[in-house]
Amino acid sequence: MSQGQGAATPPAARTNAFNDPFVQVTSAMPGCPVPEGPLYTEAEVRELAHVRSQHGGSCHRVGRCRLPNSYLYDAEIIPRVQRYIREEGRFDDTSVWVLGERRLVTLKGCVRSAEQARALEKAVELVDDVMGVVNELQVGTSREGVRYPLAP
């Protein structure tokens, strides 16, 4: 066999190149499937850079954002979301991660009921500068039907 044949190509390195804030907020449900964070290959970063630039700046151009790029809000929003969820008290029995991307907050993880998932979504919508919430929460800790990519 010649050199290189049959050797598996290692997967491309992935990083959070855009520094999208991603944090675990609560951790009361052992066994909750851990979501993968915002990870990109170099090729994906090159592909997404222009799109993110366009999407990020459009809200300022049309007068919906005070900052020149909507991604600039995320570093402030996610710590406030984290503090609000922890201080609120109704969600202490969950395991939840939050991701900020362009003033959108994505909720991932496990809750006790569909009502609790809806209440958490509504609560996060109240945080200043949050434009919308993507609810990927699940009831219980089963790995079946998880709505988000899992950490390795």
Side-chain angles (χ1 to χ4, degrees):
M1 188 183 307
S2 65
Q3 205 172 17
Q5 283 185 331
T9 304
R14 298 166 68 223
T15 65
N16 184 0
F18 298 111
N19 294 316
D20 295 327
F22 178 69
V23 296
Q24 185 170 14
V25 179
T26 61
S27 59
M29 295 179 74
C32 181
V34 178
E36 181 175 70
L39 300 174
Y40 308 95
T41 64
E42 282 186 43
E44 289 170 325
V45 169
R46 284 191 301 275
E47 185 178 309
L48 291 171
H50 177 72
V51 171
R52 287 175 66 107
S53 170
Q54 292 297 321
H55 284 284
S58 65
C59 83
H60 186 261
R61 282 192 305 277
V62 300
R64 290 190 63 213
C65 297
R66 61 183 163 73
L67 299 178
N69 188 306
S70 60
Y71 289 96
L72 296 174
Y73 289 86
D74 300 329
E76 313 178 344
I77 289 173
I78 294 305
R80 284 190 278 122
V81 166
Q82 182 178 26
R83 185 171 56 246
Y84 182 64
I85 291 171
R86 286 182 176 168
E87 295 296 323
E88 220 285 333
R90 290 185 292 162
F91 311 110
D92 291 347
D93 61 347
T94 65
S95 285
V96 174
W97 290 258
V98 294
L99 167 66
E101 193 175 46
R102 215 173 76 229
R103 297 177 59 201
L104 297 173
V105 176
T106 302
L107 304 171
K108 301 171 186 256
C110 305
V111 294
R112 304 285 173 177
S113 66
E115 294 78 19
Q116 189 178 43
R118 284 191 296 276
L120 182 51
E121 178 181 346
K122 296 292 183 204
V124 171
E125 286 174 348
L126 297 175
V127 175
D128 192 35
D129 291 324
V130 170
M131 187 172 70
V133 177
V134 178
N135 186 340
E136 295 181 352
L137 297 167
Q138 69 175 42
V139 176
T141 60
S142 172
R143 293 178 73 85
E144 280 187 40
V146 174
R147 298 169 48 197
Y148 49 81
L150 301 177

